[in-house]
Amino acid sequence: MKYLKVIAFTHKQIELKELGKLVICQENLTEKLRAVKEHFAIDEIFYLSTCNRVEFVLSTSQKVDREFAEAFIASMNIGLCPHSTKTFLDAASIYSGQEALNHLLRTSCSLESLVVGEKEILAQLRKAYDDCREAGLTADKLRLVMECVVKTAKEVYTNTNISKNPISVVSLAYRKLKDLKLCSNARILIIGAGETNRNISKYLQKHKFSNFAVFNRTLAKAEQLAADLNGEAYEIADLANYKKGFDAIITCTSAVEPIITPEVYLSLLNGETGKKTIVDLAIPNDTAPEVLEQFEVNFIEVHSLNEVAKKNLQERYQELVHAEAIIEQNITEFFVMLKQRKVELAMRQVPEKIKEIRNNAVNTVFADEVQSLDKESREILEKVINYMEKKYISVPMVMAKDILINNN
């Protein structure tokens, strides 16, 4: 377990608006991770970015401390100035070994989320890992960790009420949007076709909204979401030239610079003067601050959901106790599994060695004696040898596992 390390930047120590400065553009994310993996001789790595956290999960024998984190972040070339880098590093949480595993389990169960009980984090964590696994950035050690992470989260969501009547960032945002009493044929622009916007689209569809235009960097993904909503699909580059008007904008992209600038917003208005609504769930915000200064807008963002999240945490406090008990049990089971895994890896050559001994005995050492036996005797001898071979393979493995588990 000593190999597991986590460098975490979260909403607990960092303002959400500031946290967005740490987000890495998806286009060159794999390239950056591969470069730091090689530079620091890291065995395995994956990167997690959500609306309230940016984390790096590592498998490495190296000591990961403030000094390492500083060099690591510098090598990521995120574009931070020295002052911002120092501020973020001062607020970073660094976990190692069991503490790192506990942190990942708590994160997957939403105990570390802005809104405790939201299930989106598990899907986000799995996707972050899967993306890095497909890119060849992870291997066996983080695979075992992720199996434990997924198993634990499912048990918590199944066996506690922590997600009963869930109030996620998406559902909170929709509730605020609903309070504005938009009519069902309101013109809604959806910018970004990722998981967050797909989820909020389900709420909108469920409540009979039907007039959608979807914009995304990749047109194919825009077309996929637009097809689900019976809407129109565009590339984000088409946003500045869109002239069909709108009543509400729902935006959540991974862009590091604002997409909705005053110029773009004015163009989208196309001469209309009524008060519009923007739901901006991106970190950093997709909406430039100047838009809010220059135009009258109903603005809903992640940061504004903070107070509701705190109330949610208080109401679910008792469920935290139950969830933490499940996490503790899974950590105990994980250590047992790790020990068994070590035995399996250490003894994986035992079967081959036993087969070599068997073949040498039958074909060399006792070859003449075996050949002198009649057919029936040789068949009986073969059965005895096969039986002994299986026992000599299985018994030492079982005994070794028992000894290791009971003596450690």
Side-chain angles (χ1 to χ4, degrees):
M1 270 305 297
K2 293 180 181 179
Y3 62 83
L4 184 61
K5 315 288 169 61
V6 177
I7 303 172
F9 305 89
T10 77
H11 66 95
K12 291 189 174 183
Q13 288 84 24
I14 303 170
E15 286 287 333
L16 292 177
K17 292 179 179 179
E18 291 297 307
L19 195 59
K21 294 179 181 178
L22 288 167
V23 175
I24 303 172
C25 179
Q26 290 292 322
E27 289 184 3
N28 56 7
L29 173 60
T30 300
E31 180 184 334
K32 285 180 177 289
L33 292 176
R34 190 170 286 127
V36 295
K37 180 177 183 288
E38 181 178 350
H39 179 74
F40 291 97
I42 296 169
D43 298 325
E44 305 176 43
I45 184 172
F46 78 88
Y47 162 85
L48 171 67
S49 172
T50 75
C51 62
N52 52 45
R53 69 184 60 253
V54 169
E55 303 196 9
F56 298 90
V57 182
L58 317 174
S59 169
T60 177
S61 59
Q62 298 182 59
K63 181 180 180 181
V64 175
D65 53 14
R66 164 63 187 266
E67 184 179 351
F68 178 95
E70 184 174 2
F72 181 88
I73 294 300
S75 294
M76 289 299 298
N77 293 317
I78 299 174
L80 298 175
C81 67
H83 176 72
S84 293
T85 300
K86 182 181 184 304
T87 300
F88 283 126
L89 288 170
D90 288 342
S93 297
I94 300 176
Y95 304 94
S96 179
Q98 184 171 335
E99 283 189 354
L101 179 61
N102 182 60
H103 168 74
L104 289 174
L105 297 187
R106 288 178 60 85
T107 298
S108 73
C109 300
S110 81
L111 272 62
E112 300 290 332
S113 294
L114 188 63
V115 181
V116 172
E118 57 92 4
K119 290 185 177 180
E120 282 89 347
I121 183 60
L122 178 58
Q124 291 167 331
L125 191 53
R126 292 180 73 170
K127 185 179 186 306
Y129 167 75
D130 286 342
D131 287 347
C132 289
R133 176 182 54 81
E134 290 172 7
L137 296 168
T138 69
D140 194 54
K141 289 181 178 178
L142 290 186
R143 177 185 65 80
L144 295 175
V145 169
M146 281 304 299
E147 286 178 358
C148 179
V149 163
V150 173
K151 173 178 176 291
T152 303
K154 287 182 176 179
E155 288 180 9
V156 167
Y157 291 132
T158 300
N159 299 317
T160 75
N161 289 323
I162 201 165
S163 61
K164 186 177 182 182
N165 300 320
I167 304 176
S168 65
V169 168
V170 167
S171 62
L172 285 171
Y174 176 74
R175 290 184 185 190
K176 283 202 170 188
L177 182 62
K178 186 179 177 183
D179 290 341
L180 297 174
K181 302 188 184 303
L182 292 176
C183 59
S184 59
N185 67 341
R187 298 161 298 173
I188 300 175
L189 308 187
I190 297 178
I191 304 175
E195 184 179 354
T196 298
N197 276 355
R198 289 200 303 271
N199 287 337
I200 201 167
S201 295
K202 291 176 183 177
Y203 282 96
L204 293 165
Q205 213 172 17
K206 180 180 178 181
H207 291 88
K208 309 304 180 185
F209 287 92
S210 58
N211 192 347
F212 299 98
V214 181
F215 297 80
N216 194 63
R217 181 174 57 82
T218 305
L219 182 60
K221 288 188 176 181
E223 290 173 338
Q224 185 178 6
L225 180 55
D228 293 339
L229 298 171
N230 294 317
E232 299 175 330
Y234 303 88
E235 293 183 353
I236 281 185
D238 298 326
L239 195 63
N241 301 315
Y242 185 79
K243 300 298 182 183
K244 297 184 180 181
F246 73 98
D247 298 295
I249 294 174
I250 297 172
T251 182
C252 184
T253 75
S254 59
V256 294
E257 296 292 337
I259 290 175
I260 307 171
T261 62
E263 295 76 19
V264 169
Y265 189 79
L266 184 62
S267 175
L268 289 171
L269 286 174
N270 197 29
E272 297 182 15
T273 57
K275 188 175 184 179
K276 306 295 184 178
T277 297
I278 299 178
V279 180
D280 192 334
L281 300 181
I283 299 292
N285 283 345
D286 288 331
T287 309
E290 294 80 10
V291 171
L292 307 181
E293 295 169 1
Q294 298 176 23
F295 302 93
E296 192 177 7
V297 177
N298 294 313
F299 189 60
I300 301 169
E301 61 172 336
V302 174
H303 186 70
S304 67
L305 306 175
N306 235 335
E307 291 306 313
V308 181
K310 290 177 182 177
K311 181 181 177 183
N312 176 268
L313 178 60
Q314 293 171 355
E315 291 176 350
R316 299 185 182 193
Y317 179 76
Q318 290 303 318
E319 296 308 313
L320 297 184
V321 176
H322 301 153
E324 285 167 350
I326 293 173
I327 288 173
E328 186 176 345
Q329 177 61 33
N330 273 276
I331 289 175
T332 301
E333 292 175 2
F334 183 75
F335 276 106
V336 172
M337 184 278 296
L338 270 189
K339 292 173 182 176
Q340 293 176 334
R341 180 67 174 161
K342 286 181 181 178
V343 172
E344 291 170 358
L345 292 175
M347 301 189 69
R348 59 187 171 186
Q349 291 185 340
V350 169
E352 287 81 1
K353 292 295 182 182
I354 291 176
K355 289 182 183 297
E356 286 180 13
I357 294 171
R358 170 216 170 109
N359 290 334
N360 187 52
V362 172
N363 300 319
T364 303
V365 180
F366 300 105
D368 294 339
E369 289 88 339
V370 170
Q371 289 301 318
S372 67
L373 296 175
D374 57 50
K375 180 180 178 181
E376 183 178 351
S377 297
R378 282 201 301 270
E379 289 176 352
I380 293 173
L381 178 62
E382 185 71 18
K383 289 180 180 178
V384 171
I385 292 175
N386 287 339
Y387 175 81
M388 295 296 292
E389 180 183 338
K390 290 178 181 178
K391 291 300 180 182
Y392 273 114
I393 290 174
S394 63
V395 172
M397 297 281 279
V398 172
M399 292 178 66
K401 288 181 181 179
D402 288 341
I403 291 170
L404 184 60
I405 292 168
N406 294 329
N407 292 344
N408 287 277

